[in-house]
Amino acid sequence: MRKETSTNALNEKLINASCGMARALSVVGGRWKPAILCRLNHGTMRYGELKKSIEGISERMLVNQLRELENDTIIERIVYPEVPPRVEYRMTNLGMTMAPMLKAMSDWGNMHREKLGEKEGDTILK
């Protein structure tokens, strides 16, 4: 965790305040957020379903990314008062407005992959 007064943090705040694209990328950017948003864009999911559907994500990272998306009011966490507790995540109204952007990014990524001659599911390490 970096200090909020560091040059890096101040520069990030400055660019996010002046550039809508930078702000959007700061909300959806990172290794795991696109995978989370892709799944929640299709509907509400329980925590365990999310964890199982995202291969390679650690418990700690999933919790961290979900909290960041919740703080940005993109998703909401619903806790049901049951034993054992049931927790679900879903897109907020604000989060649902991202659907066209997420689709455009997905379409562009697929097109770019094809242009480079890669197939879906290809990995760098074989």
Side-chain angles (χ1 to χ4, degrees):
M1 183 134 209
R2 66 178 180 216
K3 292 194 290 185
E4 295 215 14
T5 58
S6 71
T7 302
N8 194 12
L10 294 173
N11 287 341
E12 182 181 12
K13 286 179 184 177
L14 181 63
I15 196 165
N16 284 342
S18 63
C19 177
M21 187 185 309
R23 176 67 186 157
L25 288 172
S26 76
V27 172
V28 301
R31 180 176 296 164
W32 301 107
K33 285 181 185 177
I36 293 167
L37 292 169
C38 177
R39 284 152 180 82
L40 293 180
N41 197 36
H42 295 291
T44 301
M45 291 183 78
R46 292 179 72 166
Y47 176 82
E49 293 173 314
L50 266 174
K51 175 87 172 78
K52 286 179 190 171
S53 73
I54 305 173
E55 188 176 329
I57 193 168
S58 69
E59 187 108 11
R60 180 175 176 236
M61 186 55 68
L62 178 58
V63 168
N64 180 283
Q65 299 291 273
L66 288 169
R67 282 187 184 143
E68 286 183 19
L69 289 167
E70 191 177 6
N71 287 339
D72 286 329
T73 67
I74 303 303
I75 65 169
E76 63 183 332
R77 179 177 188 258
I78 304 117
V79 180
Y80 295 92
E82 302 173 351
V83 177
R86 179 169 52 117
V87 178
E88 293 181 342
Y89 292 89
R90 68 177 172 211
M91 299 288 266
T92 61
N93 289 337
L94 178 60
M96 287 188 280
T97 66
M98 298 171 71
M101 176 185 70
L102 296 173
K103 180 169 179 2
M105 290 173 70
S106 178
D107 291 346
W108 187 90
N110 290 330
M111 180 271 303
H112 186 256
R113 184 176 41 240
E114 289 172 16
K115 293 283 185 191
L116 295 179
E118 299 172 2
K119 293 185 179 92
E120 188 172 341
D122 277 357
T123 60
I124 294 171
L125 302 174
K126 292 189 179 186

